[in-house]
Amino acid sequence: MIVAIANQKGGVGKTTTAINLAAALALRGKRTLLVDLDPQANSTMSFLDMQTVTRSVYDAIADPTVPLADIIRTTSVGNLAVAPSRIALAKLEAKLVGELDAHFRLKDKLDQVRRTYSHVVIDCPPTLGLLTVNALVAASHLLIPIQSSYFALEGTDDLLETIEKVRSRPNPALQILGVVITMHDKRTALGRDIRAQIQKVFGGKVFKTVITKSVRLEESPAYKESIFTFAPDSSGATEYYRLCEEVIDRA
Ligand SMILES: Nc1ncnc2c1ncn2[C@@H]1O[C@H](COP(=O)(O)OP(=O)(O)OP(=O)(O)O)[C@@H](O)[C@H]1O
Ligand SMILES: [Mg+2]
C-alpha cells in the first residue's frame, strides 16, 4: 500500500498526518517507509537531525543510477524508515524539464523497495506541481487532510481535477482512500458546520476519526518524536491510532 498525503493548500496537517500515520503503522508492526517529498523537509526533521542528512530523495530521483535504498535512513522508531528530503528537492522540477519519464521517477524508485516495506506514506508539498504528481503516479491510495476552517473546501476542485488527470493516463488504479478533518474544534458551532459541509461534499469518503486541535500534536515534531512516544495518552495519539485502523480497514 502506497498512500500519498496531499492537498495543495498549505498548513492543513499533511505532515502531521504523514508522520503520525507512518508511526502508527510501524507501531502495529508494519514495515513502513515515510517518503518526504516536500523541500521544506518537515517530515524529515520530525525524525532525523538535519545535519546528518547529506543525501535525499532528490539524489535518487534526479539520478536514475542511485537506488532509493542508498538514501533511506532508519529512525528511532522500530519498523519505520525515512526517505529524507532536503531543500535540493526544490530544484527537481527544473532538473527534469524535457525528461519524458519525469512523472514516473518516484514510482520507478519505489518499485525497487516494494519487497522491503509493506506500507509507504508520502508527505507531499503544498503544490500540484511535479513532486505531487510523482506521488500520485506512484501511489495506490490518496489521503486528503482538510483543515477544519472557514475556507476548508477552497481549492479542492483543483485537487480533484489533478486526481482525474492522473487516473485517466499514468495511474488508473489510484483510489481516494479518504478525507481526514484536521485541527477540528468540536465545541464551536463553526466547527460543527464545517464538518457537515465537508461531509456533504465527500460523503462516505470522510474518515469517522476526526483529528482535533491539540497543542501536543503541534509540539511533538520539535522533540523528534511521533505523538505515540511524545504524548501517548493525548487525544492526538488516540485519534491518529484510530485513523490508522480505519486506513488499514479501508485499504
Ligand atoms: N491537530 C492539530 N492541532 C494543532 N496543531 C496542529 C494540528 N495538526 C497540525 N498542527 C500544526 O499546524 C501547522 C501545520 O501543520 P502541518 O505542517 O502538518 O501542515 P502541512 O499541510 O504539512 O503544511 P505545509 O503545507 O506547509 O506542508 C504545524 O505547525 C502543525 O504543528
Ligand atoms: Mg507539510
Side-chain angles (χ1 to χ4, degrees):
M1 176 187 198
I2 301 178
V3 197
I5 315 286
N7 184 341
Q8 80 279 23
K9 242 176 122 133
V12 298
K14 291 181 288 296
T15 298
T16 306
T17 300
I19 61 185
N20 291 303
L21 175 62
L25 286 164
L27 213 74
R28 295 191 51 141
K30 314 279 187 200
R31 283 170 292 115
T32 306
L33 174 66
L34 172 61
V35 178
D36 190 351
L37 266 199
D38 188 346
Q40 297 178 99
N42 293 338
S43 279
T44 306
M45 289 170 200
S46 305
F47 290 109
L48 303 174
D49 183 349
M50 275 324 272
Q51 283 173 336
T52 67
V53 178
T54 50
R55 296 220 285 173
S56 71
V57 184
Y58 174 83
D59 299 278
I61 295 184
D63 183 348
T65 66
V66 175
L68 194 63
D70 280 12
I71 64 102
I72 290 175
R73 298 267 308 266
T74 55
T75 69
S76 59
V77 180
N79 296 317
L80 180 65
V82 176
S85 164
R86 291 181 76 198
I87 191 69
L89 255 185
K91 298 185 294 192
L92 194 72
E93 202 134 344
K95 170 92 179 165
L96 295 186
V97 167
E99 299 281 351
L100 293 178
D101 65 343
H103 294 151
F104 295 88
R105 291 286 179 109
L106 180 65
K107 180 184 172 52
D108 293 347
K109 292 293 165 176
L110 285 176
D111 279 347
Q112 301 169 345
V113 297
R114 60 194 301 172
R115 283 194 190 78
T116 315
Y117 305 101
S118 62
H119 291 71
V120 177
V121 177
I122 310 173
D123 183 19
C124 293
T127 69
L128 289 173
L130 183 66
L131 286 163
T132 298
V133 171
N134 259 273
L136 296 179
V137 170
S140 57
H141 297 86
L142 167 67
L143 193 161
I144 309 171
I146 296 190
Q147 183 182 354
S148 179
S149 74
Y150 186 66
F151 298 108
L153 289 162
E154 208 182 47
T156 44
D157 285 356
D158 294 333
L159 178 61
L160 294 174
E161 201 181 302
T162 303
I163 296 163
E164 281 319 311
K165 276 189 197 151
V166 171
R167 267 185 183 152
S168 72
R169 278 293 177 89
N171 188 8
L174 178 66
Q175 291 178 41
I176 298 183
L177 186 63
V179 167
V180 62
I181 300 173
T182 62
M183 295 179 238
H184 187 61
D185 187 349
K186 51 187 146 203
R187 294 164 308 177
T188 67
L190 180 64
R192 291 190 294 269
D193 268 12
I194 293 162
R195 186 175 178 182
Q197 218 185 79
I198 295 171
Q199 256 151 357
K200 212 162 126 191
V201 174
F202 289 98
K205 286 285 175 200
V206 181
F207 285 105
K208 287 197 188 75
T209 308
V210 170
I211 311 298
T212 49
K213 209 174 263 176
S214 126
V215 176
R216 305 306 253 165
L217 275 175
E218 215 175 341
E219 290 172 338
S220 59
Y223 295 86
K224 305 235 176 298
E225 288 188 66
S226 80
I227 194 67
F228 304 107
T229 51
F230 179 68
D233 299 323
S234 65
S235 60
T238 311
E239 289 161 359
Y240 272 113
Y241 199 79
R242 281 202 198 120
L243 178 70
C244 175
E245 286 180 340
E246 278 194 77
V247 163
I248 291 170
D249 286 348
R250 283 191 186 193

